[in-house]
Amino acid sequence: MQCWLFKTEPDLFGIEDLARAADQTARWDEIRNYQARNFLRDDVKVGDQVFIYHSSCKAVGIAGLAEVVRAAYPDPSQFDPSHALFDAKAVVGSPRWFCVDVRLRQRFSDVIPLRQLKAMPELAGMTLLRQGRLSVQPVSDAERRAILGIL
DNA sequence: GCCAACGTTGGC
DNA sequence: GCCAACGTTGGC
């Protein structure tokens, strides 16, 4: 079992939306970054755990935990001309962008603030803290335990 | 709103 | 393949 961190802007889609979704399950789509895409397409598997991270908002940090319930499939938004992220270069049968489905497992009573994560020596090497802009990223076992240990 | 860091595009 | 210009992310 691999663990991941997925970023999202809660003003657009946050953990509250995931909690309200049917079966608390939602498509994790609209990823348009190749490094993130490659992780989604090649490495994210059913049963993997996912920390849900809220960015660009008031309470920046980790909001909860989800689980992958469907592995990579073509992101439909790339083929939809009315969609803001429509990709004219994407070809059905040879898609560029992928998505997965996740189900909520646990909504943390409080968002774990980014500030607190930054202060933890165990997380000093974490991708989140080292690489600014990556919306799908692996979390090591030690990092996962350190984060869950906060709860 | 600012701005640093990083990714993408496109001319050559 | 280089690199300048431009666009986006995302914390503050």
Side-chain angles (χ1 to χ4, degrees):
Chain A
M1 191 272 297
Q2 171 69 48
C3 184
W4 303 93
L5 182 144
F6 289 1
K7 291 184 186 174
T8 186
E9 297 187 23
D11 294 345
L12 302 176
F13 186 92
I15 202 156
E16 279 180 58
D17 301 288
L18 184 57
R20 273 198 298 265
D23 204 22
Q24 299 198 322
T25 298
R27 172 181 292 156
W28 207 269
D29 57 0
E30 304 188 353
I31 301 292
R32 294 292 187 273
N33 166 284
Y34 286 105
Q35 201 180 349
R37 187 281 308 267
N38 292 346
F39 281 132
L40 273 188
R41 185 189 58 190
D42 304 332
D43 302 313
V44 174
K45 303 298 181 197
V46 170
D48 284 358
Q49 299 204 45
V50 179
F51 286 112
I52 304 297
Y53 178 88
H54 283 175
S55 70
S56 300
C57 59
K58 213 161 187 187
V60 169
I62 299 177
L65 196 60
E67 180 176 339
V68 178
V69 293
R70 183 178 174 188
Y73 60 100
D75 181 344
S77 66
Q78 71 194 301
F79 302 123
D80 176 2
S82 68
H83 196 282
L85 295 176
F86 171 69
D87 186 340
K89 293 179 189 162
V91 180
V92 180
S94 172
R96 293 180 121 188
W97 308 112
F98 290 81
C99 56
V100 300
D101 290 354
V102 300
R103 179 183 293 141
L104 182 65
R105 283 188 56 147
Q106 184 182 0
R107 188 174 170 184
F108 298 160
S109 47
D110 298 294
V111 172
I112 302 172
L114 175 61
R115 184 180 358 103
Q116 183 174 358
L117 302 173
K118 283 179 173 174
M120 293 171 62
E122 307 95 298
L123 301 182
M126 197 178 172
T127 303
L128 178 71
L129 305 181
R130 295 186 149 267
Q131 187 174 344
R133 317 185 316 153
L134 184 58
S135 53
V136 172
Q137 54 179 261
V139 174
S140 77
D141 210 49
E143 290 160 356
R144 180 178 62 85
R145 285 196 306 268
I147 293 163
L148 293 175
I150 297 169
L151 302 175

